[in-house]
């Protein structure tokens, strides 16, 4: 990589780390104008776009990064998180499954489950009004994915119980409430 590309990428990374995402995107765009397949710039640009709430653009960056290096787990995970934001849980689950195949480390799986859980939580807590049934259904899919990634994730089971309560299915509510109790460590 030329010194100019290296400097532009580093500038973008520095700007991104300080929360200056618009400026970071401009720096990453300079790199990508010279090298459209620059994997680090694609993923960093996607991350900055995601932080700005520009989810569809972020998803396109992560998809391009996957095309450049299909063996990298992180762009698959990041694309999955974008798909969750866009209300596409099936596509998200497929991408997340691929990410976990590519990086089978248990810590990676657990960290991914936490990120997915946080997306579900955000669906129910962000915005000025109470969540409607559609957001509860979307959160349900998100929490189910978190629990699939980490079958012992107590908080995901509790969240599913709460979601099913709001969706009016007491059998499912009770199922997940019981699961959360069984998952809780002894003395916890």
């Amino acid at each position: 990589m030329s010194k100019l590309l290296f400097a532009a990428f580093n500038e973008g990374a520095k700007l991104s780390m300080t929360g200056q995402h618009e400026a970071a995107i401009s720096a990453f765009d300079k790199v990508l104008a010279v090298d459209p397949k620059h994997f680090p710039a694609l993923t960093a640009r996607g991350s900055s776009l995601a932080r700005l709430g520009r989810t569809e653009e972020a998803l396109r960056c992560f998809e391009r990064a996957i095309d450049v290096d299909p063996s990298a787990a992180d762009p698959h995970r990041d694309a999955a998180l974008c798909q969750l934001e866009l209300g596409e849980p099936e596509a998200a689950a497929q991408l997340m499954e691929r990410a976990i195949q590519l990086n089978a480390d248990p810590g990676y799986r657990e960290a991914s489950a936490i990120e997915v859980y946080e997306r579900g939580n955000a669906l129910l807590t962000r915005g000025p009004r109470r969540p409607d049934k559609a957001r509860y259904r979307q959160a349900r899919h998100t929490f189910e994915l978190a629990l699939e990634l980490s079958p012992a994730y107590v908080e995901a089971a509790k969240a599913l119980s709460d979601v099913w309560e709001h969706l009016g299915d007491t059998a499912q509510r009770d199922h997940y409430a019981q699961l959360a109790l069984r998952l809780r460590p002894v003395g916890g």
Side-chain angles (χ1 to χ4, degrees), residues 93-166:
Q94 290 176 347
L95 285 161
M96 192 61 78
E97 181 179 325
R98 184 67 183 135
I100 299 304
Q101 289 171 350
L102 293 168
N103 185 343
D105 181 83
Y108 187 80
R109 185 180 196 98
E110 294 296 318
S112 297
I114 291 168
E115 286 186 88
V116 168
Y117 170 81
E118 289 172 350
R119 292 300 191 285
N121 221 20
L123 281 168
L124 301 177
T125 58
R126 73 175 172 217
R129 59 188 171 91
R130 283 190 58 172
D132 58 8
K133 293 274 188 204
R135 276 205 287 173
Y136 276 110
R137 282 190 292 276
Q138 189 176 351
R140 182 196 103 204
H141 293 296
T142 305
F143 293 135
E144 285 172 345
L145 179 56
L147 196 57
E148 183 180 314
L149 289 166
S150 179
Y153 199 168
V154 175
E155 294 304 317
K158 289 190 321 193
L160 276 164
S161 177
D162 185 56
V163 163
W164 281 112
E165 170 77 25
H166 285 90

